[in-house]
Amino acid sequence: MATYKVPLKDMRFVLNEVIDVSKVTSLPGYGEVTPDLIDAILEEGAKLCENVLFPLNRSGDEEGCHYENGVVRTPKGFKEAYKQFIDGGWTNVTTDPQYGGQGLPATVGFVMQEMITSSNLSFGMYPGLSHGAYEALHVHANDTIKQTYLPKLGEGVWSGTMCLTEPHCGTDLGMLRTKAEPRSDGSFDISGTKIFISAGEHDLTDNIIHLVLARLPDAPGGTKGISLFVVPKFLPTPEGKAGERNGIRCGAIEHKMGIKASSTCVMNLDGARGWLVGEENKGLNAMFVMMNAARLGVAMQGLGIAETAYQSAATYAKDRLQGRSLTGPKNDKGPADPIIVHPDVRRMLLIQKSFAEGARALAYWIGSLIDIAHRHESQEEREKADDLIQLLTPIAKAHFTDMGFESANLAIQTYGGHGFIRENGVEQLARDARITMLYEGANGVQALDLVGRKLPMKGGRPAQRLLGEINGFISAHKDDAAMKEFVEPLEKAIGRVQDSALWLMQNGMKNPDEAGGAATDFLRLMALTAMAYMWARIAKASQAGLAKGTDNDFYNAKLATGRFYVQRVLPQTTSLSHQIKAGASTLMALDAAAF
Amino acid sequence: MATYKVPLKDMRFVLNEVIDVSKVTSLPGYGEVTPDLIDAILEEGAKLCENVLFPLNRSGDEEGCHYENGVVRTPKGFKEAYKQFIDGGWTNVTTDPQYGGQGLPATVGFVMQEMITSSNLSFGMYPGLSHGAYEALHVHANDTIKQTYLPKLGEGVWSGTMCLTEPHCGTDLGMLRTKAEPRSDGSFDISGTKIFISAGEHDLTDNIIHLVLARLPDAPGGTKGISLFVVPKFLPTPEGKAGERNGIRCGAIEHKMGIKASSTCVMNLDGARGWLVGEENKGLNAMFVMMNAARLGVAMQGLGIAETAYQSAATYAKDRLQGRSLTGPKNDKGPADPIIVHPDVRRMLLIQKSFAEGARALAYWIGSLIDIAHRHESQEEREKADDLIQLLTPIAKAHFTDMGFESANLAIQTYGGHGFIRENGVEQLARDARITMLYEGANGVQALDLVGRKLPMKGGRPAQRLLGEINGFISAHKDDAAMKEFVEPLEKAIGRVQDSALWLMQNGMKNPDEAGGAATDFLRLMALTAMAYMWARIAKASQAGLAKGTDNDFYNAKLATGRFYVQRVLPQTTSLSHQIKAGASTLMALDAAAF
């Protein structure tokens, strides 16, 4: 069976020793938030995840959601779990105190997202979507809308969705056709069909608040004529209750490869009443703010699944007796050795482990940057943090989800044939993880976002910030003999990034297909390098830990895992830089008909 | 929807222009087999695959197999399809004419396996297992057993299985516990439990012939005390009919990630009557002969799925309108361009295409080597062919199945969110492909087989043969300017193989964990290089084709695809050689408890 315990010790290590969460808790407005408070919250969250959400993961997959006459029923146990979830205040952790939220740092939200996803990705989709809708309304809606919806969404008694995709358009939202007709009272009648709407219909909450992209009658074509509307399933009464049924209905749910306990709905809008959020024709901008946050949420899903996959594989590898070590029996008295004696099994486990631990550090660092970007007194610091977030968002989204899926597959491989059997639970991780590479912008779209938008943005400032950050670390530790084994490979990798970026600038300007053809490889090159930077920081923190003389096993394991990363994973950067510089001519040579 | 047309043109190109199938048809005993006859057979096979097997693939997955009280029912349509399959003689294509077979070359069997698997992997499991059982009996059984079973297995009215795995042992068969007690009449009473038995019970045939590994009462422990038995579901009557029910029964079927229309059974043997096949205690050797053949069969499954995934993705990419080319609209009159205009989509398609076409050439070459190893007049040639087969078997099994799964995942990625929806058919390809990396020896076991057994075998002769073959090609074409772009990268890659092999010899002898830690990377390094060799041969054949002046589009597309392979895939060999030479110390450093 799949295994998961919230890795609280490692979470604390990253928060306190790698990224130094006191930089977050000392920000203006976080007066009462201390590292100890954060710790207590995470411990409570861990109990819920381990005891309530994780045990429902397998049964939720097997049962799936049920659709009948427009009504969606979630699998057995989800309703009760959701009640415990909102009763514990878990939907309101990072939300605005003005609307009843707890106002904790985004960094804490990231840690919670990780453990929720590790436990039950399908379950996590419901509050995750609500949070996205909350954020979009919080930033873009007027006060009336905020007062109407934010408290309920924060409390979790109402949930939210993002209604973007239509049958003929996903990535290319410029083609969307859903129409909004103004009514005399300032609201709108909205009609159209949306697909792939996560949490579009379900039985967990009293009301569902849809954020819908649609076109006004006089709107320009393409992406510049799209507006954002809030469309509740039930129109709120003046007392703030769910009132009259609105004309937005679920026509079907999708039968999917994974996340089967998350309802994915076809939503039909037939003159549904909605209210404009933000400015006319600026809906896509508003949605993009939300999507960037959502992309980081999806990155956390990749990490979350990777952790569960790693723990499951490691547990199995220590238990399963099969064959003997190549260097002689290690379990003389048993009928065979546990398969963890085999170097190739360890190779798989260490790919998982070095990813999960490095990605955790990178993710929480990004979380802390979000808090800094929102709260720091210095504009310079806010801007710097925002630059880094812009750049790191597509990198984390694509790389973490690619690796979440890979980690799930390595767990299957470690289990052997038993990994293919549904009841053992690891194949579900792969099926669930697979969607994360697709939604919120497929990973190829993330790569284009990185190369086409984030690299050239602001004259290349975000990329310079990251390179500056990493080069600063290299300079500071170059003469530290104990850090040499981490700093040297990092320096080589950053050299490859710089070299490839230069190649991209020279060639991608002349011919955009050169940028497009290099994008995926370049994203991975940057991701592997960013991970190497985090591993260098982890190594530094571990050396400091060892100097204190307590918990040596923990710190030595960190150093050993980091060594594996730089020696056996980071070399991928050599091939990537060759592939990038081979150019796009071989990609573009064939006529479409030759495929 | 997933799309598949049998790639007859490419199959013919490989057979006639790349590997020169006349080298096979001119072997002794293939007197009446001509390239034209082969072509006619493939055309007939293609009709069956496209019109009967492929249309059942999606529904078979959705319905799955049914188990009730020991009886297994295959999905709707499978029985009728199987009848057409055996009526067409497709189970008897390569079997021995002495027992009613058609005696066609193994090469033809490989091509048929590819198209059957491309169409419906689950369906293909039933005749595939029968073929394995046939081969084992053909090589190892006595005349009585052969006369009893081979004609029926060949005809397909009876089917076969391989019963190896038990709950506590898969890879490590030395631990198996199933017992065989001798009876006074020379037969045996066999008792035990076997799991993961493909086609162990179903409704397609009158009888099921199980090949079962078990221990005799006085047998030595471990792998040297295992014997092979034939255990029919129904004891054959003297007239050759299915008679009395034997004590081997299906206790359950597994619920799996994929190949849901293939029954995977728990088989309980309770004093089931069996007959010894081959010598006492030599069962594992007999089974290994069969497993090597089965591993190549699984390699063909990887290729088969990769081809369907490629065709599906290419079709979708040409149809789906979304966004615009980075270099300006290519479909001015349409609302958007087809996504095949994007370099990153082409990158995915070309990984699939360059794999499928290169692997097809490698696979059919291996097929031809099997025919040569069986039939060539010269012992030297037979031995050489056998050496190459030994070496290439684990390489093809692991690499083709890794890439079959990757290709399926690239198809999902090309489809975007639509790829995650079951009815669109490509996610099934990934779920089905996933098992091929696990069964018949997980891919890590293949890598150990390569590094620990096949490399040192016969003083390294098989590896020398392959390097000699490739170096011979390089020397022969070194001065050919037109071949330079293929020969130079091949030469570099083979240099990395030689260099890594030397490293392995020096370090793996001292410490077997060094060999184990490098095995997977080394296998992939060899596989990518072997594929580069096949691409160089394809390029040579294409240049010859162009010189004839007909079908230039086809040959030019081959050259373009080959260029993509050497420029954008083959560079992975650089990283792999770094990773190999980084050694196993980082793998072995952590205590098991630290995982």
Side-chain angles (χ1 to χ4, degrees):
Chain A
M1 297 297 289
T3 322
Y4 179 66
K5 293 288 166 205
V6 178
L8 282 171
K9 186 180 172 106
D10 200 49
M11 290 168 163
R12 284 185 196 117
F13 165 71
V14 172
L15 290 174
N16 299 319
E17 298 172 61
V18 182
I19 67 155
D20 187 5
V21 76
S22 72
K23 284 185 196 158
V24 169
T25 54
S26 62
L27 289 169
Y30 290 149
E32 287 159 35
V33 183
T34 61
D36 281 352
L37 175 68
I38 291 176
D39 204 47
I41 291 168
L42 299 185
E43 270 191 38
E44 278 308 302
K47 285 179 199 160
L48 184 81
C49 286
E50 291 175 5
N51 303 330
V52 180
L53 304 188
F54 186 62
L56 288 176
N57 195 40
R58 189 77 272 289
S59 57
D61 176 70
E62 218 44 63
E63 183 184 339
C65 288
H66 309 271
Y67 175 87
E68 207 176 342
N69 294 326
V71 175
V72 174
R73 196 156 43 77
T74 56
K76 191 159 175 269
F78 270 56
K79 243 178 131 158
E80 295 74 12
Y82 186 77
K83 180 148 192 334
Q84 279 189 262
F85 194 84
I86 64 174
D87 286 352
W90 296 106
T91 43
N92 242 340
V93 172
T94 60
T95 45
D96 189 347
Q98 199 186 328
Y99 303 99
Q102 298 165 50
L104 285 157
T107 312
V108 179
F110 270 50
V111 185
M112 286 308 305
Q113 276 188 312
E114 182 197 322
M115 64 173 89
I116 292 166
T117 310
S118 283
S119 305
N120 195 323
L121 176 55
S122 285
F123 180 91
M125 292 295 286
Y126 298 97
L129 267 296
S130 296
H131 190 71
Y134 181 103
E135 288 287 319
L137 294 177
H138 192 258
V139 177
H140 298 286
N142 63 33
D143 271 351
T144 315
I145 292 178
K146 284 192 198 180
Q147 295 292 354
T148 309
Y149 297 105
L150 293 188
K152 296 282 191 185
L153 282 170
E155 226 184 303
V157 292
W158 293 359
S159 69
T161 78
M162 292 164 65
C163 298
L164 286 69
T165 304
E166 298 180 6
H168 62 290
C169 73
T171 303
D172 185 3
L173 289 170
M175 296 203 287
L176 79 77
R177 294 178 191 151
T178 298
K179 286 211 162 70
E181 296 281 345
R183 291 161 54 104
S184 55
D185 64 356
S187 67
F188 295 82
D189 277 337
I190 301 173
S191 297
T193 299
K194 297 285 181 178
I195 62 167
F196 297 169
I197 308 309
S198 297
E201 183 58 51
H202 58 78
D203 56 359
L204 302 179
T205 58
D206 300 338
N207 201 359
I208 301 174
I209 313 307
H210 303 278
L211 288 179
V212 179
L213 289 182
R215 284 186 191 284
L216 292 168
D218 53 349
T223 54
K224 288 177 182 159
I226 297 172
S227 305
L228 180 63
F229 300 86
V230 59
V231 181
K233 174 179 171 185
F234 294 103
L235 302 179
T237 64
E239 300 77 37
K241 307 253 177 200
E244 185 191 338
R245 185 70 167 89
N246 200 2
I248 180 166
R249 285 190 164 80
C250 178
I253 57 173
E254 303 288 352
H255 300 104
K256 310 186 299 290
M257 183 184 196
I259 57 164
K260 294 187 181 185
S262 165
S263 67
T264 304
C265 304
V266 176
M267 298 304 297
N268 299 316
L269 293 95
D270 185 11
R273 195 138 157 228
W275 287 266
L276 186 68
V277 175
E279 290 176 56
E280 286 187 5
N281 300 331
K282 294 279 171 66
L284 213 55
N285 297 357
M287 212 51 148
F288 262 114
V289 169
M290 185 168 153
M291 261 166 61
N292 268 317
R295 283 172 179 185
L296 288 172
V298 176
M300 296 312 292
Q301 297 179 346
L303 167 56
I305 295 256
E307 175 67 28
T308 307
Y310 165 63
Q311 289 191 26
S312 302
T315 305
Y316 188 81
K318 286 187 268 191
D319 284 353
R320 173 77 172 171
L321 302 181
Q322 198 79 179
R324 292 292 184 188
S325 161
L326 300 169
T327 56
K330 300 289 177 284
N331 175 33
D332 278 28
K333 288 168 192 157
D337 289 341
I339 61 171
I340 201 168
V341 300
H342 296 297
D344 194 61
V345 170
R346 287 170 161 256
R347 181 189 62 81
M348 295 192 284
L349 295 175
L350 280 161
I351 291 172
Q352 298 177 296
K353 182 174 167 69
S354 65
F355 168 71
E357 296 178 9
R360 181 169 297 121
L362 183 54
Y364 298 179
W365 181 48
I366 298 173
S368 74
L369 292 171
I370 291 179
D371 288 313
I372 290 167
H374 284 156
R375 304 252 178 177
H376 206 284
E377 283 142 332
S378 143
Q379 197 200 323
E380 160 80 33
E381 287 298 317
R382 291 200 304 273
E383 206 173 73
K384 184 182 160 193
D386 188 61
D387 280 352
L388 287 168
I389 295 163
Q390 296 286 336
L391 186 75
L392 290 168
T393 296
I395 294 173
K397 195 283 180 179
H399 188 60
F400 287 16
T401 59
D402 280 351
M403 288 302 298
F405 183 63
E406 181 168 334
S407 186
N409 275 300
L410 288 169
I412 295 174
Q413 203 64 24
T414 303
Y415 274 61
H418 297 271
F420 199 64
I421 305 300
R422 289 214 303 270
E423 68 184 348
N424 291 327
V426 288
E427 62 83 39
Q428 181 193 346
L429 299 177
R431 287 186 290 101
D432 285 355
R434 191 65 189 80
I435 189 60
T436 65
M437 299 155 75
L438 299 165
Y439 60 20
E440 298 302 337
N443 287 357
V445 173
Q446 305 297 325
L448 274 186
D449 178 51
L450 175 65
V451 163
R453 203 169 338 192
K454 302 298 173 63
L455 280 192
M457 176 179 206
K458 301 177 189 166
R461 203 178 67 189
Q464 289 308 324
R465 299 264 202 210
L466 183 65
L467 296 178
E469 171 91 21
I470 298 178
N471 282 323
F473 184 92
I474 292 171
S475 303
H477 299 94
K478 215 169 169 155
D479 299 327
D480 181 347
M483 282 297 290
K484 194 176 161 192
E485 59 182 329
F486 298 100
V487 169
E488 272 190 2
L490 175 61
E491 198 172 5
K492 281 187 195 157
I494 202 89
R496 285 179 200 118
V497 170
Q498 284 167 317
D499 194 34
S500 299
L502 189 67
W503 185 94
L504 266 178
M505 276 166 58
Q506 290 168 340
N507 296 276
M509 303 284 261
K510 276 181 273 177
N511 178 0
D513 281 340
E514 290 291 347
T520 290
D521 287 343
F522 185 77
L523 185 146
R524 179 159 275 228
L525 171 59
M526 283 202 82
L528 291 169
T529 305
M531 293 279 291
Y533 168 58
M534 296 318 299
W535 268 112
R537 286 176 62 175
I538 293 169
K540 187 73 204 159
S542 300
Q543 285 165 357
L546 283 172
K548 287 185 294 185
T550 54
D551 224 357
N552 286 3
D553 286 353
F554 178 82
Y555 295 117
N556 280 322
K558 282 283 170 202
L559 291 170
T561 307
R563 282 180 198 115
F564 172 82
Y565 181 81
V566 294
Q567 292 182 35
R568 301 277 311 221
V569 176
L570 192 58
Q572 285 173 37
T573 53
T574 58
S575 301
L576 292 166
S577 80
H578 288 302
Q579 287 161 211
I580 290 165
K581 289 190 271 179
S585 63
T586 60
L587 299 172
M588 307 314 292
L590 284 174
D591 281 343
F595 282 91
Chain B
M1 298 297 291
T3 323
Y4 178 65
K5 293 286 166 205
V6 178
L8 282 171
K9 186 180 171 103
D10 199 48
M11 289 169 162
R12 284 185 196 119
F13 165 70
V14 172
L15 290 174
N16 298 320
E17 298 172 61
V18 182
I19 67 156
D20 187 5
V21 75
S22 72
K23 283 186 194 156
V24 168
T25 53
S26 62
L27 288 168
Y30 290 149
E32 286 160 37
V33 183
T34 61
D36 281 352
L37 174 68
I38 292 176
D39 203 48
I41 291 167
L42 299 184
E43 270 193 38
E44 278 309 303
K47 285 181 200 160
L48 183 81
C49 287
E50 292 175 5
N51 303 330
V52 179
L53 304 188
F54 186 62
L56 287 176
N57 195 39
R58 189 78 271 289
S59 57
D61 175 71
E62 219 44 63
E63 182 185 340
C65 287
H66 308 272
Y67 175 86
E68 208 176 343
N69 294 326
V71 175
V72 174
R73 195 156 44 78
T74 55
K76 190 159 175 269
F78 271 55
K79 244 178 130 158
E80 295 74 15
Y82 187 77
K83 182 151 191 327
Q84 279 189 262
F85 194 83
I86 63 174
D87 286 352
W90 296 107
T91 43
N92 242 341
V93 172
T94 60
T95 46
D96 188 347
Q98 200 185 329
Y99 303 99
Q102 298 166 47
L104 285 158
T107 311
V108 179
F110 270 49
V111 185
M112 285 308 304
Q113 276 188 312
E114 183 199 321
M115 65 173 88
I116 292 166
T117 311
S118 282
S119 305
N120 195 325
L121 175 55
S122 285
F123 180 92
M125 293 295 287
Y126 298 98
L129 267 295
S130 297
H131 190 71
Y134 181 104
E135 288 288 317
L137 293 177
H138 191 258
V139 177
H140 298 287
N142 62 33
D143 271 352
T144 315
I145 293 178
K146 285 191 198 180
Q147 294 293 353
T148 309
Y149 295 106
L150 293 188
K152 296 281 190 185
L153 282 170
E155 225 184 303
V157 292
W158 293 0
S159 70
T161 78
M162 291 165 66
C163 297
L164 285 70
T165 304
E166 298 181 6
H168 63 290
C169 74
T171 303
D172 185 3
L173 289 170
M175 297 203 286
L176 79 79
R177 294 179 189 150
T178 298
K179 287 212 162 69
E181 297 280 345
R183 292 161 54 102
S184 55
D185 64 356
S187 67
F188 296 83
D189 276 337
I190 302 173
S191 297
T193 299
K194 297 286 180 178
I195 63 167
F196 296 169
I197 307 309
S198 297
E201 183 58 52
H202 58 77
D203 57 359
L204 302 180
T205 57
D206 301 339
N207 201 357
I208 302 174
I209 312 308
H210 303 278
L211 288 179
V212 179
L213 289 181
R215 283 186 192 286
L216 293 168
D218 52 350
T223 53
K224 289 180 182 157
I226 297 172
S227 304
L228 180 62
F229 300 87
V230 58
V231 182
K233 176 179 170 185
F234 295 102
L235 302 179
T237 63
E239 300 77 39
K241 305 253 176 200
E244 186 192 338
R245 184 71 167 87
N246 201 1
I248 179 165
R249 285 192 163 78
C250 177
I253 58 173
E254 303 288 352
H255 301 104
K256 310 186 298 291
M257 182 185 196
I259 57 165
K260 295 187 180 185
S262 165
S263 68
T264 304
C265 304
V266 175
M267 298 303 298
N268 298 315
L269 293 95
D270 185 12
R273 196 138 158 226
W275 286 265
L276 187 69
V277 175
E279 289 177 55
E280 288 187 4
N281 300 330
K282 295 278 171 68
L284 213 55
N285 297 357
M287 212 50 146
F288 262 114
V289 169
M290 185 168 153
M291 260 165 61
N292 269 316
R295 284 172 179 185
L296 289 173
V298 175
M300 296 312 293
Q301 295 179 347
L303 167 57
I305 296 256
E307 174 67 28
T308 307
Y310 165 65
Q311 289 191 26
S312 303
T315 305
Y316 189 81
K318 287 187 268 189
D319 283 354
R320 174 75 172 171
L321 302 181
Q322 199 78 179
R324 290 292 183 187
S325 162
L326 299 169
T327 56
K330 300 288 177 284
N331 174 33
D332 278 28
K333 288 168 192 157
D337 289 341
I339 60 172
I340 201 166
V341 300
H342 296 298
D344 195 61
V345 170
R346 287 169 162 256
R347 182 188 61 82
M348 296 193 284
L349 295 175
L350 280 161
I351 291 172
Q352 298 177 297
K353 182 174 167 68
S354 66
F355 168 71
E357 295 177 8
R360 181 168 298 121
L362 182 55
Y364 298 179
W365 181 47
I366 298 173
S368 74
L369 291 171
I370 291 178
D371 288 313
I372 290 167
H374 284 156
R375 303 250 177 179
H376 205 284
E377 282 142 333
S378 142
Q379 197 199 323
E380 160 79 34
E381 288 298 318
R382 290 200 305 273
E383 206 172 72
K384 184 182 162 194
D386 188 61
D387 281 351
L388 288 168
I389 295 163
Q390 295 286 336
L391 186 76
L392 289 168
T393 296
I395 294 172
K397 195 281 182 181
H399 188 61
F400 286 16
T401 59
D402 280 352
M403 289 301 299
F405 183 62
E406 181 169 334
S407 187
N409 274 299
L410 289 170
I412 295 174
Q413 203 65 24
T414 304
Y415 274 61
H418 297 271
F420 199 64
I421 306 301
R422 289 215 301 271
E423 67 184 350
N424 291 328
V426 287
E427 62 83 40
Q428 180 192 347
L429 298 177
R431 289 187 289 101
D432 285 354
R434 191 64 189 80
I435 188 61
T436 64
M437 298 156 75
L438 299 166
Y439 59 22
E440 299 301 336
N443 286 357
V445 172
Q446 305 297 325
L448 275 185
D449 178 50
L450 174 65
V451 163
R453 205 172 334 195
K454 301 299 172 63
L455 279 193
M457 174 179 208
K458 302 177 189 167
R461 202 179 66 190
Q464 289 309 323
R465 299 264 202 210
L466 183 65
L467 296 178
E469 171 91 20
I470 299 178
N471 282 324
F473 184 91
I474 292 171
S475 304
H477 299 95
K478 216 169 168 152
D479 299 328
D480 181 346
M483 283 297 289
K484 193 176 161 191
E485 58 181 333
F486 298 98
V487 169
E488 273 191 359
L490 175 62
E491 197 170 7
K492 282 187 194 157
I494 202 89
R496 288 180 198 116
V497 170
Q498 282 166 319
D499 195 35
S500 299
L502 190 67
W503 185 96
L504 266 178
M505 276 168 57
Q506 288 167 341
N507 295 276
M509 302 285 262
K510 277 180 273 177
N511 178 0
D513 281 340
E514 290 292 347
T520 290
D521 287 342
F522 185 76
L523 184 145
R524 178 161 276 230
L525 171 58
M526 283 204 80
L528 291 169
T529 306
M531 293 279 291
Y533 167 57
M534 296 318 299
W535 269 112
R537 286 177 61 175
I538 293 170
K540 186 74 205 158
S542 299
Q543 285 165 355
L546 283 173
K548 286 184 293 183
T550 54
D551 224 357
N552 286 2
D553 287 353
F554 178 83
Y555 294 117
N556 280 322
K558 283 283 169 202
L559 291 169
T561 308
R563 282 180 199 116
F564 171 84
Y565 181 81
V566 294
Q567 292 182 33
R568 301 278 311 222
V569 177
L570 191 59
Q572 285 175 36
T573 52
T574 59
S575 300
L576 292 167
S577 80
H578 287 302
Q579 288 161 209
I580 290 165
K581 289 190 270 178
S585 63
T586 61
L587 298 172
M588 306 315 291
L590 284 174
D591 281 343
F595 283 91

